[in-house]
Structure formats: C-alpha cells, structure tokens
Amino acid sequence: MAEKKEGILETIKTIFWALIIAGIFRTLFFQPFWIPTGSMKDTLLIGDFVFVNKMAYGYSRHSCPFSACPFPGRILGSEPERGDIVVFRHPTLATDYVKRLIGLPGDRIQMKDGVLYINDEAMPQEPAGQFIETFERQGSFGTTPLCANRPVGQGGDCIKERLIETLPGGLEHSILNVYNQPLDNTNVFTVPEGNYFFMGDNRDNSTDSRVSQRAGGVGMVPEEFLLGRVDRVMFSSAGKRLVYFWTWRGDRFFHKVE
C-alpha cells in the first residue's frame, strides 16, 4: 500500500513539473494558437495551427496565462514591423486575436473605395486571380464563408477576388475582396503613440481596428497587449477538430506565412 501511495505521489509530481515547464515554455518562447476564424484568409486558414513567437516583441503581463505576469509595462521589447502577422490580446474582451499590423504609432490610416492609404499614400494592389473554397461549415465554430458569387449552395465553389497589396518597405501580401461594404471607406485614423492599427487580410470579413472597441471592434491596440509574431503554420486541419488527421492539409505543414 505504501509503495502504491508513493507511486501516485511521484506521478503527481511528474505532472506538476511538466505543467510548470510547459507554462514557462509557453510564456517565454512559443505559444500554440489555433486559427478559429477566416479573417486572415488566404494567408491563414481556419484550422491552421501555429506557434506564436513570444520572443519577437518582448514580454508584458499579458504574456502569461490569465495576464498574470508581474512585469511592469513591457520588458526586453523590440518594435514590431509593419506587415507582421501578430497575435494580441483584445484590450477589453480578454480574447486573443490574430491580424496583420498595418499602422505604426503616428501613422494616418484610411480606406478609400477598398484601397488602403497610409500617410495619404495609396498602397498598390495587383490582381492575383481568385481564391476558391468549398461553401461549407468550417472549423469548430461551424461558420460558412462569404462569397462574391453568392448565393452558393452547400458544397459549391465560393469565389473571392484575390489581390496582392504592397506595403511601405516593399512587403507584398495577399488580400481578399468579396463585395463593397461600409468599411471600404473610412475616416482617417491617426495611430496614437504606443499603439498599433491592425487589419485582417480578408478585408470584408474581419473585425479589426477599423471599428472602435466601443462599437464591437478592435480599435487601437496598446503595445502591452502584443503577444507575439506568427511566422509559420506548423500543420493545418480542414475538419472540426485538429485530431481528425484525415482532414489535415498536406500542403501546409511548416508553411511560411508572409
């Protein structure tokens, strides 16, 4: 009986230290993140599994689970670059979001007829064919995609216009266009010091900085809420659960994102 109790105690100790080590790894180095929505298509797909590079921008209290790190402000920080794909904590909802960094402190951001303007300069857009996916429920939320060729029946081709946008500095990335909508034309947003402006690549299906937090959007994101950078998709599942290995997308293993 004593040996059995000792064995149970050793198992508990092993699990305890394994959780501590996993927590340290998650806090300081890489945090796993499953893409739950389509706001970053076609750069990131629903069901992509990524590791967030926590070393990229340093650490704040939000770097720990439950925002429990005792860090004052941000430590060991480095400045994010425009065009980075960033995971951040929503400033009011305590939910993690993934978006592309568009506006740096002091920038003026505006959308005109679906074209992004940064500091009064239009960002070039070049046609890049179509993004075609199956119209069906996707991921754990069971959402269906928006289609430019709507209405589309279950199992049909859902088509969106694909464009290549070039940001200042020469970074090219894919964006999608579904239809004309109010957020294709906005007022000028001036990014305050210590804050950042984010947008999804799936421009017509993204809750981002174009809408204020009070109105249900993201608004400006203070630097302390940045969690890290996404560089690669480790693997991807088109099914409802990551463990459904028969739905894994073979072409997205260790896929580099830009």
Side-chain angles (χ1 to χ4, degrees):
M1 182 64 70
E3 290 183 0
K4 185 176 181 180
K5 288 184 177 179
E6 184 176 334
I8 293 174
L9 183 60
E10 286 301 317
T11 300
I12 293 174
K13 287 181 178 179
T14 300
I15 294 173
F16 172 78
W17 286 112
L19 291 175
I20 292 295
I21 292 170
I24 292 173
F25 184 86
R26 179 187 184 278
T27 298
L28 297 181
F29 301 108
F30 295 97
Q31 174 182 332
F33 189 80
W34 187 15
I35 305 301
T37 70
S39 69
M40 282 296 293
K41 290 178 181 177
D42 63 337
T43 306
L44 294 173
L45 305 180
I46 294 176
D48 280 351
F49 184 81
V50 304
F51 279 114
V52 181
N53 182 353
K54 301 293 284 290
M55 300 173 285
Y57 310 132
Y59 308 96
S60 72
R61 66 187 182 93
H62 302 292
S63 300
C64 291
F66 312 110
S67 299
C69 282
F71 302 144
R74 179 167 291 275
I75 65 171
L76 303 177
S78 59
E79 295 297 321
E81 296 183 4
R82 193 194 316 276
D84 284 357
I85 300 173
V86 179
V87 173
F88 58 89
R89 183 70 44 84
H90 191 288
T92 61
L93 300 180
T95 302
D96 294 346
Y97 279 54
V98 58
K99 305 288 179 187
R100 190 177 297 276
L101 175 54
I102 296 297
L104 302 174
D107 281 343
R108 296 184 307 280
I109 308 295
Q110 186 177 21
M111 294 292 295
K112 296 181 184 179
D113 297 325
V115 176
L116 171 65
Y117 283 73
I118 300 178
N119 297 325
D120 305 316
E121 180 181 350
M123 300 298 100
Q125 295 180 354
E126 295 293 333
Q130 297 175 327
F131 175 67
I132 303 175
E133 58 185 331
T134 302
F135 185 82
E136 60 186 357
R137 295 194 177 278
Q138 300 176 350
S140 59
F141 293 163
T143 55
T144 53
L146 296 180
C147 312
N149 59 325
R150 64 192 185 282
V152 178
Q154 185 73 15
D157 285 345
C158 176
I159 301 173
K160 305 180 212 347
E161 180 186 16
R162 184 173 182 267
L163 302 160
I164 299 298
E165 180 176 83
T166 304
L167 297 176
L171 175 68
E172 297 181 344
H173 69 102
S174 172
I175 60 173
L176 301 181
N177 178 53
V178 184
Y179 47 63
N180 295 327
Q181 51 111 349
L183 290 180
D184 285 340
N185 290 279
T186 70
N187 295 325
V188 176
F189 302 96
T190 300
V191 185
E193 189 65 31
N195 285 257
Y196 297 94
F197 188 99
F198 291 93
M199 292 176 63
D201 289 348
N202 191 2
R203 294 280 165 82
D204 296 324
N205 191 22
S206 175
T207 301
D208 52 39
S209 294
R210 290 173 291 177
V211 177
S212 70
Q213 295 161 21
R214 182 175 298 180
V218 170
M220 303 296 172
V221 179
E223 61 181 1
E224 68 179 280
F225 289 91
L226 306 188
L227 299 181
R229 186 181 66 226
V230 174
D231 297 316
R232 287 184 182 274
V233 175
M234 303 310 293
F235 65 92
S236 182
S237 171
K240 193 171 183 179
R241 299 280 190 276
L242 282 178
V243 294
Y244 295 170
F245 63 87
W246 56 90
T247 66
W248 289 1
R249 301 176 176 108
D251 61 339
R252 293 187 73 78
F253 281 89
F254 308 109
H255 173 72
K256 182 176 174 58
V257 296
E258 295 179 329

